[in-house]
């Protein structure tokens, strides 16, 4: 259940702030950390809402579900902060494409979330929340046309379902795409579902 799980966002820049605003608006508790310490996040937390708690990196790393809202090239370094990531669901919000030289050398044709899984040994990696610009993701959706769609992909169906439930609690409409090397490819920049802002529209009878 969403409320039995602890959440953290690592990174308080563009996309970390957008995620914080989603959690804050929904009243779902989330910790948020960066490299400079919690004092640098108090302003963001105050504007996002009381469920958003600035913490140290160590505190964020102790949570059940961790959002990686950091540059793709910083993921390997972050991976070394824990000897073993087993038991953590890690939501990979990074886009390797925006670090093209590094990404080409590192990926060698692999999906970026497979690389993330390699440098965070044991983590249950879920690719999600990466295909929309931060501003779009954070913007409230009015009751009409409907909930904003987010796409989710993972090689771990249970973790994919867990993040789909969370997305629902955050007021979003989750579409699960299956495995990283299959549906997950669609949300890897620059593929089909990237920068596509869908909203869920209930069908009405003619
Ligand atoms: N911007 C977008 O619209 C968007 C949309 C979807 C996905 N993404 C992806 O999201 C990721 C972040 O993008 P962004 O635009 O939010 O970047 P950003 O504004 O530069 O923010 C990056 C954040 O990561 C933190 N950070 C870096 N290395 C860290 C480490 N080792 N440990 C803890 N925190 C660390 C930074 O900490 P400090 O604040 O202490 O420097 C900063 O808060 C990228 O991979 C990007 O491709 C971005």
């Amino acid at each position: 259940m969403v409320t039995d799980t602890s959440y953290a966002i690592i990174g308080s820049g563009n996309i970390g702030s957008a995620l914080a605003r989603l959690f804050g608006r929904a009243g779902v508790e989330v910790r948020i950390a960066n490299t400079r310490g919690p004092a640098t996040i108090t302003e963001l937390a105050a504007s996002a809402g009381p469920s958003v708690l600035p913490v140290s990196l160590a505190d964020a790393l102790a949570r059940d579900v961790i959002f990686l809202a950091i540059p793709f090239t910083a993921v390997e370094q972050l991976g070394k902060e824990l000897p073993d990531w087993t038991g953590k669901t890690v939501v990979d919000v990074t886009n390797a494409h925006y670090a093209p030289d590094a990404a080409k050398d590192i990926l060698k044709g692999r999906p970026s979330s497979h690389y993330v899984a390699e440098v965070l040994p044991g983590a249950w990696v879920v690719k999600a929340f990466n295909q929309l610009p931060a501003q779009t993701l954070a913007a409230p959706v009015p009751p009409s046309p409907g909930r904003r769609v987010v796409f989710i992909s993972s090689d771990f169906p249970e973790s994919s379902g867990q993040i789909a439930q969370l997305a629902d609690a955050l007021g979003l409409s989750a579409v699960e795409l299956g495995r990283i090397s299959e549906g997950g490819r669609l949300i890897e920049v620059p593929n089909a579902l990237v920068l596509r802002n869908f909203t869920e529209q209930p069908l009405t009878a003619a």
Side-chain angles (χ1 to χ4, degrees):
M1 271 198 21
V2 167
T3 47
D4 296 340
T5 305
S6 60
Y7 301 96
I9 302 164
I10 298 185
S12 61
N14 297 303
I15 199 76
S17 300
L19 290 165
R21 292 189 197 290
L22 283 175
F23 276 88
R25 207 176 296 136
V28 178
E29 190 169 283
V30 68
R31 269 88 172 157
I32 180 162
N34 62 15
T35 62
R36 293 165 296 133
T40 65
I41 317 178
T42 48
E43 206 175 307
L44 165 66
S47 67
S51 68
V52 178
L53 310 171
V55 296
S56 66
L57 186 57
D59 186 324
L61 287 165
R63 302 299 134 200
D64 303 322
V65 173
I66 297 175
F67 285 75
L68 295 185
I70 64 177
F72 175 70
T73 46
V75 175
E76 184 173 4
Q77 186 59 38
L78 182 75
K80 294 178 184 149
E81 298 283 341
L82 290 179
D84 182 5
W85 288 75
T86 303
K88 308 262 179 220
T89 293
V90 170
V91 184
D92 175 18
V93 189
T94 70
N95 281 318
H97 183 80
Y98 295 124
D101 293 340
K104 202 170 100 209
D105 293 344
I106 292 168
L107 295 179
K108 302 184 174 71
R110 285 179 295 176
S112 59
S113 291
H114 282 169
Y115 165 78
V116 170
E118 187 183 297
V119 296
L120 274 54
W124 299 318
V125 176
V126 176
K127 185 86 187 168
F129 297 88
N130 67 302
Q131 50 77 234
L132 287 172
Q135 264 190 325
T136 308
L137 183 65
V141 180
S144 173
R147 290 181 164 218
R148 175 165 287 120
V149 170
V150 289
F151 297 99
I152 296 170
S153 166
S154 179
D155 293 343
F156 302 92
E158 211 172 295
S159 296
S160 181
Q162 178 186 33
I163 299 307
Q165 268 191 17
L166 170 67
D168 182 63
L170 297 180
L172 302 162
S173 177
V175 176
E176 293 182 70
L177 296 172
R179 297 181 68 80
I180 300 279
S181 58
E182 296 166 356
R185 287 285 197 184
L186 298 173
I187 47 171
E188 221 177 82
V189 179
N191 293 334
L193 298 178
V194 172
L195 296 177
R196 296 284 183 273
N197 181 20
F198 296 98
T199 49
E200 180 189 75
Q201 306 249 3
L203 289 178
T204 49

mmCIF file of all heavy atoms in Angstrom, residues 10-17 33-37 40 57 68-75 77-78 81 93-96 98 129-135, ligand 1:
data_model
loop_
_atom_site.group_PDB
_atom_site.id
_atom_site.type_symbol
_atom_site.label_atom_id
_atom_site.label_comp_id
_atom_site.label_asym_id
_atom_site.label_seq_id
_atom_site.Cartn_x
_atom_site.Cartn_y
_atom_site.Cartn_z
ATOM 1 N N ILE A 10 16.031 11.768 -4.673
ATOM 2 C CA ILE A 10 17.421 12.229 -4.599
ATOM 3 C C ILE A 10 17.648 13.153 -5.789
ATOM 4 O O ILE A 10 17.530 12.745 -6.945
ATOM 5 C CB ILE A 10 18.413 11.051 -4.568
ATOM 6 C CG1 ILE A 10 18.149 10.218 -3.308
ATOM 7 C CG2 ILE A 10 19.845 11.569 -4.581
ATOM 8 C CD1 ILE A 10 19.119 9.080 -3.077
ATOM 9 N N GLY A 11 17.940 14.413 -5.458
ATOM 10 C CA GLY A 11 18.038 15.474 -6.462
ATOM 11 C C GLY A 11 16.906 16.463 -6.241
ATOM 12 O O GLY A 11 15.736 16.059 -6.161
ATOM 13 N N SER A 12 17.275 17.750 -6.137
ATOM 14 C CA SER A 12 16.258 18.785 -5.864
ATOM 15 C C SER A 12 16.288 19.849 -6.954
ATOM 16 O O SER A 12 15.930 20.994 -6.715
ATOM 17 C CB SER A 12 16.517 19.418 -4.499
ATOM 18 O OG SER A 12 17.805 20.041 -4.508
ATOM 19 N N GLY A 13 16.752 19.448 -8.154
ATOM 20 C CA GLY A 13 16.789 20.394 -9.275
ATOM 21 C C GLY A 13 15.441 20.419 -9.980
ATOM 22 O O GLY A 13 14.381 20.329 -9.345
ATOM 23 N N ASN A 14 15.465 20.528 -11.306
ATOM 24 C CA ASN A 14 14.218 20.681 -12.075
ATOM 25 C C ASN A 14 13.232 19.536 -11.825
ATOM 26 O O ASN A 14 12.093 19.762 -11.420
ATOM 27 C CB ASN A 14 14.537 20.731 -13.576
ATOM 28 C CG ASN A 14 15.397 21.926 -13.922
ATOM 29 O OD1 ASN A 14 15.038 23.056 -13.651
ATOM 30 N ND2 ASN A 14 16.560 21.669 -14.509
ATOM 31 N N ILE A 15 13.696 18.313 -12.062
ATOM 32 C CA ILE A 15 12.730 17.199 -12.010
ATOM 33 C C ILE A 15 12.479 16.777 -10.553
ATOM 34 O O ILE A 15 11.358 16.382 -10.202
ATOM 35 C CB ILE A 15 13.176 16.011 -12.917
ATOM 36 C CG1 ILE A 15 11.999 15.081 -13.225
ATOM 37 C CG2 ILE A 15 14.318 15.243 -12.345
ATOM 38 C CD1 ILE A 15 11.031 15.586 -14.227
ATOM 39 N N GLY A 16 13.501 16.884 -9.701
ATOM 40 C CA GLY A 16 13.291 16.582 -8.275
ATOM 41 C C GLY A 16 12.251 17.528 -7.670
ATOM 42 O O GLY A 16 11.377 17.113 -6.908
ATOM 43 N N SER A 17 12.318 18.803 -8.059
ATOM 44 C CA SER A 17 11.342 19.786 -7.557
ATOM 45 C C SER A 17 9.948 19.465 -8.087
ATOM 46 O O SER A 17 8.956 19.578 -7.358
ATOM 47 C CB SER A 17 11.719 21.203 -7.999
ATOM 48 O OG SER A 17 12.983 21.537 -7.515
ATOM 49 N N ALA A 33 16.557 14.924 -0.902
ATOM 50 C CA ALA A 33 17.962 15.198 -0.562
ATOM 51 C C ALA A 33 18.723 15.624 -1.808
ATOM 52 O O ALA A 33 18.305 15.349 -2.936
ATOM 53 C CB ALA A 33 18.601 13.936 0.019
ATOM 54 N N ASN A 34 19.862 16.283 -1.578
ATOM 55 C CA ASN A 34 20.772 16.624 -2.684
ATOM 56 C C ASN A 34 22.205 16.504 -2.166
ATOM 57 O O ASN A 34 22.428 15.919 -1.095
ATOM 58 C CB ASN A 34 20.436 18.017 -3.243
ATOM 59 C CG ASN A 34 20.610 19.122 -2.202
ATOM 60 O OD1 ASN A 34 21.234 18.921 -1.162
ATOM 61 N ND2 ASN A 34 20.045 20.283 -2.477
ATOM 62 N N THR A 35 23.167 17.073 -2.891
ATOM 63 C CA THR A 35 24.558 16.947 -2.421
ATOM 64 C C THR A 35 24.883 17.987 -1.345
ATOM 65 O O THR A 35 25.845 17.829 -0.606
ATOM 66 C CB THR A 35 25.569 17.175 -3.572
ATOM 67 O OG1 THR A 35 25.409 18.508 -4.073
ATOM 68 C CG2 THR A 35 25.393 16.181 -4.689
ATOM 69 N N ARG A 36 24.069 19.076 -1.266
ATOM 70 C CA ARG A 36 24.452 20.221 -0.423
ATOM 71 C C ARG A 36 23.786 20.241 0.942
ATOM 72 O O ARG A 36 24.050 21.129 1.742
ATOM 73 C CB ARG A 36 24.140 21.528 -1.172
ATOM 74 C CG ARG A 36 25.015 21.739 -2.409
ATOM 75 C CD ARG A 36 24.477 22.817 -3.319
ATOM 76 N NE ARG A 36 23.193 22.446 -3.872
ATOM 77 C CZ ARG A 36 22.115 23.234 -3.920
ATOM 78 N NH1 ARG A 36 22.177 24.455 -3.431
ATOM 79 N NH2 ARG A 36 20.983 22.809 -4.442
ATOM 80 N N GLY A 37 22.887 19.304 1.194
ATOM 81 C CA GLY A 37 22.287 19.211 2.519
ATOM 82 C C GLY A 37 20.888 19.805 2.605
ATOM 83 O O GLY A 37 20.489 20.630 1.779
ATOM 84 N N THR A 40 19.469 23.514 2.168
ATOM 85 C CA THR A 40 19.324 24.127 0.835
ATOM 86 C C THR A 40 17.985 23.768 0.174
ATOM 87 O O THR A 40 17.710 24.202 -0.941
ATOM 88 C CB THR A 40 20.482 23.692 -0.102
ATOM 89 O OG1 THR A 40 20.371 22.276 -0.331
ATOM 90 C CG2 THR A 40 21.838 24.006 0.494
ATOM 91 N N LEU A 57 21.370 12.971 2.597
ATOM 92 C CA LEU A 57 21.421 11.902 1.595
ATOM 93 C C LEU A 57 21.291 10.531 2.282
ATOM 94 O O LEU A 57 20.582 9.642 1.793
ATOM 95 C CB LEU A 57 22.736 12.006 0.813
ATOM 96 C CG LEU A 57 22.909 11.065 -0.358
ATOM 97 C CD1 LEU A 57 21.792 11.214 -1.381
ATOM 98 C CD2 LEU A 57 24.262 11.303 -1.038
ATOM 99 N N LEU A 68 15.548 8.599 -8.577
ATOM 100 C CA LEU A 68 16.839 9.147 -9.010
ATOM 101 C C LEU A 68 16.573 10.354 -9.892
ATOM 102 O O LEU A 68 16.347 10.216 -11.099
ATOM 103 C CB LEU A 68 17.609 8.125 -9.837
ATOM 104 C CG LEU A 68 18.075 6.838 -9.175
ATOM 105 C CD1 LEU A 68 18.919 6.044 -10.175
ATOM 106 C CD2 LEU A 68 18.869 7.130 -7.916
ATOM 107 N N ALA A 69 16.610 11.548 -9.288
ATOM 108 C CA ALA A 69 16.379 12.794 -10.041
ATOM 109 C C ALA A 69 17.708 13.537 -10.164
ATOM 110 O O ALA A 69 17.818 14.717 -9.824
ATOM 111 C CB ALA A 69 15.315 13.632 -9.340
ATOM 112 N N ILE A 70 18.717 12.799 -10.604
ATOM 113 C CA ILE A 70 20.088 13.314 -10.701
ATOM 114 C C ILE A 70 20.585 13.098 -12.135
ATOM 115 O O ILE A 70 20.000 12.312 -12.882
ATOM 116 C CB ILE A 70 21.036 12.600 -9.695
ATOM 117 C CG1 ILE A 70 21.152 11.098 -10.023
ATOM 118 C CG2 ILE A 70 20.521 12.787 -8.268
ATOM 119 C CD1 ILE A 70 22.130 10.350 -9.127
ATOM 120 N N PRO A 71 21.676 13.782 -12.512
ATOM 121 C CA PRO A 71 22.194 13.535 -13.871
ATOM 122 C C PRO A 71 22.571 12.055 -14.048
ATOM 123 O O PRO A 71 23.048 11.405 -13.108
ATOM 124 C CB PRO A 71 23.439 14.429 -13.928
ATOM 125 C CG PRO A 71 23.207 15.484 -12.889
ATOM 126 C CD PRO A 71 22.431 14.816 -11.791
ATOM 127 N N PHE A 72 22.370 11.574 -15.267
ATOM 128 C CA PHE A 72 22.697 10.172 -15.571
ATOM 129 C C PHE A 72 24.141 9.852 -15.189
ATOM 130 O O PHE A 72 24.437 8.786 -14.652
ATOM 131 C CB PHE A 72 22.449 9.922 -17.067
ATOM 132 C CG PHE A 72 22.860 8.561 -17.527
ATOM 133 C CD1 PHE A 72 22.150 7.435 -17.136
ATOM 134 C CD2 PHE A 72 23.969 8.398 -18.350
ATOM 135 C CE1 PHE A 72 22.531 6.166 -17.549
ATOM 136 C CE2 PHE A 72 24.355 7.136 -18.769
ATOM 137 C CZ PHE A 72 23.644 6.020 -18.365
ATOM 138 N N THR A 73 25.027 10.806 -15.447
ATOM 139 C CA THR A 73 26.452 10.557 -15.191
ATOM 140 C C THR A 73 26.788 10.527 -13.692
ATOM 141 O O THR A 73 27.900 10.168 -13.322
ATOM 142 C CB THR A 73 27.311 11.636 -15.877
ATOM 143 O OG1 THR A 73 26.732 12.903 -15.588
ATOM 144 C CG2 THR A 73 27.369 11.431 -17.375
ATOM 145 N N ALA A 74 25.831 10.900 -12.829
ATOM 146 C CA ALA A 74 26.077 10.870 -11.375
ATOM 147 C C ALA A 74 25.598 9.567 -10.737
ATOM 148 O O ALA A 74 25.846 9.321 -9.553
ATOM 149 C CB ALA A 74 25.370 12.060 -10.708
ATOM 150 N N VAL A 75 24.950 8.719 -11.531
ATOM 151 C CA VAL A 75 24.306 7.538 -10.936
ATOM 152 C C VAL A 75 25.354 6.540 -10.401
ATOM 153 O O VAL A 75 25.190 5.973 -9.318
ATOM 154 C CB VAL A 75 23.361 6.853 -11.961
ATOM 155 C CG1 VAL A 75 22.795 5.568 -11.384
ATOM 156 C CG2 VAL A 75 22.235 7.804 -12.356
ATOM 157 N N GLN A 77 28.320 7.067 -9.156
ATOM 158 C CA GLN A 77 28.842 7.555 -7.873
ATOM 159 C C GLN A 77 27.825 7.332 -6.755
ATOM 160 O O GLN A 77 28.156 6.849 -5.667
ATOM 161 C CB GLN A 77 29.176 9.052 -8.012
ATOM 162 C CG GLN A 77 29.867 9.666 -6.813
ATOM 163 C CD GLN A 77 31.187 8.972 -6.479
ATOM 164 O OE1 GLN A 77 31.930 8.575 -7.377
ATOM 165 N NE2 GLN A 77 31.455 8.794 -5.190
ATOM 166 N N LEU A 78 26.572 7.637 -7.038
ATOM 167 C CA LEU A 78 25.526 7.444 -6.026
ATOM 168 C C LEU A 78 25.416 5.966 -5.645
ATOM 169 O O LEU A 78 25.212 5.625 -4.476
ATOM 170 C CB LEU A 78 24.170 7.952 -6.540
ATOM 171 C CG LEU A 78 23.047 7.833 -5.510
ATOM 172 C CD1 LEU A 78 23.185 8.906 -4.436
ATOM 173 C CD2 LEU A 78 21.682 7.897 -6.160
ATOM 174 N N GLU A 81 27.173 4.652 -2.619
ATOM 175 C CA GLU A 81 26.747 5.077 -1.276
ATOM 176 C C GLU A 81 26.163 3.916 -0.465
ATOM 177 O O GLU A 81 26.082 3.982 0.750
ATOM 178 C CB GLU A 81 25.708 6.205 -1.356
ATOM 179 C CG GLU A 81 26.210 7.483 -2.006
ATOM 180 C CD GLU A 81 27.101 8.318 -1.080
ATOM 181 O OE1 GLU A 81 27.049 8.127 0.138
ATOM 182 O OE2 GLU A 81 27.860 9.154 -1.609
ATOM 183 N N VAL A 93 14.584 8.207 -13.136
ATOM 184 C CA VAL A 93 13.981 9.344 -13.842
ATOM 185 C C VAL A 93 15.002 9.967 -14.799
ATOM 186 O O VAL A 93 14.735 10.942 -15.477
ATOM 187 C CB VAL A 93 13.463 10.381 -12.808
ATOM 188 C CG1 VAL A 93 12.632 11.467 -13.477
ATOM 189 C CG2 VAL A 93 12.614 9.720 -11.727
ATOM 190 N N THR A 94 16.198 9.391 -14.863
ATOM 191 C CA THR A 94 17.270 10.006 -15.658
ATOM 192 C C THR A 94 17.049 9.796 -17.155
ATOM 193 O O THR A 94 16.379 8.854 -17.576
ATOM 194 C CB THR A 94 18.662 9.424 -15.302
ATOM 195 O OG1 THR A 94 18.744 8.072 -15.772
ATOM 196 C CG2 THR A 94 18.927 9.463 -13.815
ATOM 197 N N ASN A 95 17.658 10.682 -17.920
ATOM 198 C CA ASN A 95 17.663 10.527 -19.377
ATOM 199 C C ASN A 95 19.115 10.553 -19.864
ATOM 200 O O ASN A 95 19.739 11.617 -19.902
ATOM 201 C CB ASN A 95 16.850 11.649 -20.034
ATOM 202 C CG ASN A 95 15.353 11.377 -19.945
ATOM 203 O OD1 ASN A 95 14.901 10.254 -20.148
ATOM 204 N ND2 ASN A 95 14.575 12.388 -19.608
ATOM 205 N N ALA A 96 19.602 9.376 -20.213
ATOM 206 C CA ALA A 96 21.000 9.251 -20.630
ATOM 207 C C ALA A 96 21.295 10.065 -21.885
ATOM 208 O O ALA A 96 22.408 10.553 -22.079
ATOM 209 C CB ALA A 96 21.323 7.785 -20.887
ATOM 210 N N TYR A 98 20.691 12.952 -22.657
ATOM 211 C CA TYR A 98 21.129 14.333 -22.460
ATOM 212 C C TYR A 98 22.584 14.411 -21.982
ATOM 213 O O TYR A 98 23.091 15.487 -21.720
ATOM 214 C CB TYR A 98 20.159 15.065 -21.519
ATOM 215 C CG TYR A 98 18.791 15.197 -22.160
ATOM 216 C CD1 TYR A 98 17.648 14.715 -21.549
ATOM 217 C CD2 TYR A 98 18.668 15.777 -23.428
ATOM 218 C CE1 TYR A 98 16.411 14.820 -22.167
ATOM 219 C CE2 TYR A 98 17.434 15.874 -24.058
ATOM 220 C CZ TYR A 98 16.312 15.396 -23.421
ATOM 221 O OH TYR A 98 15.089 15.493 -24.043
ATOM 222 N N PHE A 129 8.496 8.517 -15.053
ATOM 223 C CA PHE A 129 8.488 9.956 -14.761
ATOM 224 C C PHE A 129 9.573 10.718 -15.525
ATOM 225 O O PHE A 129 9.874 11.847 -15.204
ATOM 226 C CB PHE A 129 8.642 10.238 -13.247
ATOM 227 C CG PHE A 129 7.522 9.710 -12.405
ATOM 228 C CD1 PHE A 129 7.539 8.417 -11.906
ATOM 229 C CD2 PHE A 129 6.432 10.510 -12.102
ATOM 230 C CE1 PHE A 129 6.502 7.924 -11.130
ATOM 231 C CE2 PHE A 129 5.375 10.033 -11.316
ATOM 232 C CZ PHE A 129 5.417 8.733 -10.833
ATOM 233 N N ASN A 130 10.180 10.075 -16.545
ATOM 234 C CA ASN A 130 11.305 10.709 -17.249
ATOM 235 C C ASN A 130 10.907 11.319 -18.593
ATOM 236 O O ASN A 130 11.699 12.033 -19.194
ATOM 237 C CB ASN A 130 12.407 9.673 -17.520
ATOM 238 C CG ASN A 130 11.920 8.621 -18.514
ATOM 239 O OD1 ASN A 130 10.916 7.949 -18.268
ATOM 240 N ND2 ASN A 130 12.591 8.502 -19.635
ATOM 241 N N GLN A 131 9.693 11.015 -19.090
ATOM 242 C CA GLN A 131 9.437 11.362 -20.498
ATOM 243 C C GLN A 131 8.790 12.725 -20.695
ATOM 244 O O GLN A 131 8.597 13.151 -21.822
ATOM 245 C CB GLN A 131 8.687 10.251 -21.240
ATOM 246 C CG GLN A 131 7.445 9.655 -20.633
ATOM 247 C CD GLN A 131 6.173 10.457 -20.715
ATOM 248 O OE1 GLN A 131 5.559 10.696 -19.678
ATOM 249 N NE2 GLN A 131 5.757 10.858 -21.904
ATOM 250 N N LEU A 132 8.459 13.398 -19.579
ATOM 251 C CA LEU A 132 7.866 14.733 -19.690
ATOM 252 C C LEU A 132 8.833 15.778 -19.148
ATOM 253 O O LEU A 132 9.561 15.513 -18.189
ATOM 254 C CB LEU A 132 6.570 14.797 -18.872
ATOM 255 C CG LEU A 132 5.370 14.056 -19.451
ATOM 256 C CD1 LEU A 132 4.237 14.040 -18.440
ATOM 257 C CD2 LEU A 132 4.924 14.692 -20.754
ATOM 258 N N PRO A 133 8.807 17.000 -19.715
ATOM 259 C CA PRO A 133 9.588 18.076 -19.118
ATOM 260 C C PRO A 133 9.096 18.330 -17.684
ATOM 261 O O PRO A 133 7.897 18.167 -17.407
ATOM 262 C CB PRO A 133 9.283 19.285 -20.008
ATOM 263 C CG PRO A 133 8.685 18.732 -21.256
ATOM 264 C CD PRO A 133 8.061 17.417 -20.908
ATOM 265 N N ALA A 134 10.015 18.735 -16.819
ATOM 266 C CA ALA A 134 9.687 18.928 -15.398
ATOM 267 C C ALA A 134 8.492 19.855 -15.215
ATOM 268 O O ALA A 134 7.585 19.571 -14.434
ATOM 269 C CB ALA A 134 10.915 19.472 -14.670
ATOM 270 N N GLN A 135 8.477 20.949 -15.960
ATOM 271 C CA GLN A 135 7.392 21.937 -15.809
ATOM 272 C C GLN A 135 6.035 21.328 -16.131
ATOM 273 O O GLN A 135 5.040 21.612 -15.470
ATOM 274 C CB GLN A 135 7.616 23.089 -16.779
ATOM 275 C CG GLN A 135 8.321 24.272 -16.147
ATOM 276 C CD GLN A 135 8.275 25.458 -17.104
ATOM 277 O OE1 GLN A 135 8.344 25.279 -18.320
ATOM 278 N NE2 GLN A 135 8.171 26.649 -16.540
HETATM 279 N N1 LIG B 1 14.738 18.785 -16.463
HETATM 280 C C1 LIG B 1 13.745 18.034 -16.983
HETATM 281 O O1 LIG B 1 12.720 18.557 -17.504
HETATM 282 C C2 LIG B 1 13.847 16.529 -16.916
HETATM 283 C C3 LIG B 1 12.728 15.763 -17.286
HETATM 284 C C4 LIG B 1 12.807 14.378 -17.193
HETATM 285 C C5 LIG B 1 13.984 13.768 -16.770
HETATM 286 N N2 LIG B 1 15.080 14.527 -16.452
HETATM 287 C C6 LIG B 1 16.313 13.862 -16.008
HETATM 288 O O2 LIG B 1 16.385 14.047 -14.589
HETATM 289 C C7 LIG B 1 17.747 14.130 -14.179
HETATM 290 C C8 LIG B 1 17.950 15.434 -13.411
HETATM 291 O O3 LIG B 1 17.682 16.520 -14.282
HETATM 292 P P1 LIG B 1 17.431 17.984 -13.711
HETATM 293 O O4 LIG B 1 17.105 18.836 -14.874
HETATM 294 O O5 LIG B 1 16.489 17.927 -12.549
HETATM 295 O O6 LIG B 1 18.913 18.329 -13.186
HETATM 296 P P2 LIG B 1 19.370 19.497 -12.201
HETATM 297 O O7 LIG B 1 18.336 20.583 -12.177
HETATM 298 O O8 LIG B 1 20.763 19.834 -12.575
HETATM 299 O O9 LIG B 1 19.366 18.805 -10.740
HETATM 300 C C9 LIG B 1 20.213 17.733 -10.442
HETATM 301 C C10 LIG B 1 20.119 17.422 -8.957
HETATM 302 O O10 LIG B 1 20.874 16.231 -8.727
HETATM 303 C C11 LIG B 1 21.599 16.399 -7.520
HETATM 304 N N3 LIG B 1 22.734 15.489 -7.521
HETATM 305 C C12 LIG B 1 23.705 15.349 -8.457
HETATM 306 N N4 LIG B 1 24.560 14.377 -8.091
HETATM 307 C C13 LIG B 1 24.113 13.891 -6.908
HETATM 308 C C14 LIG B 1 24.574 12.895 -6.017
HETATM 309 N N5 LIG B 1 25.666 12.146 -6.271
HETATM 310 N N6 LIG B 1 23.890 12.685 -4.878
HETATM 311 C C15 LIG B 1 22.777 13.400 -4.587
HETATM 312 N N7 LIG B 1 22.283 14.359 -5.406
HETATM 313 C C16 LIG B 1 22.953 14.594 -6.542
HETATM 314 C C17 LIG B 1 21.992 17.860 -7.522
HETATM 315 O O11 LIG B 1 22.345 18.211 -6.212
HETATM 316 P P3 LIG B 1 22.751 19.742 -5.805
HETATM 317 O O12 LIG B 1 21.438 20.508 -5.858
HETATM 318 O O13 LIG B 1 23.272 19.608 -4.439
HETATM 319 O O14 LIG B 1 23.738 20.185 -6.845
HETATM 320 C C18 LIG B 1 20.696 18.503 -8.042
HETATM 321 O O15 LIG B 1 19.798 18.750 -6.962
HETATM 322 C C19 LIG B 1 18.597 14.055 -15.462
HETATM 323 O O16 LIG B 1 19.031 12.741 -15.629
HETATM 324 C C20 LIG B 1 17.607 14.461 -16.558
HETATM 325 O O17 LIG B 1 17.945 13.905 -17.803
HETATM 326 C C21 LIG B 1 15.028 15.907 -16.501
#
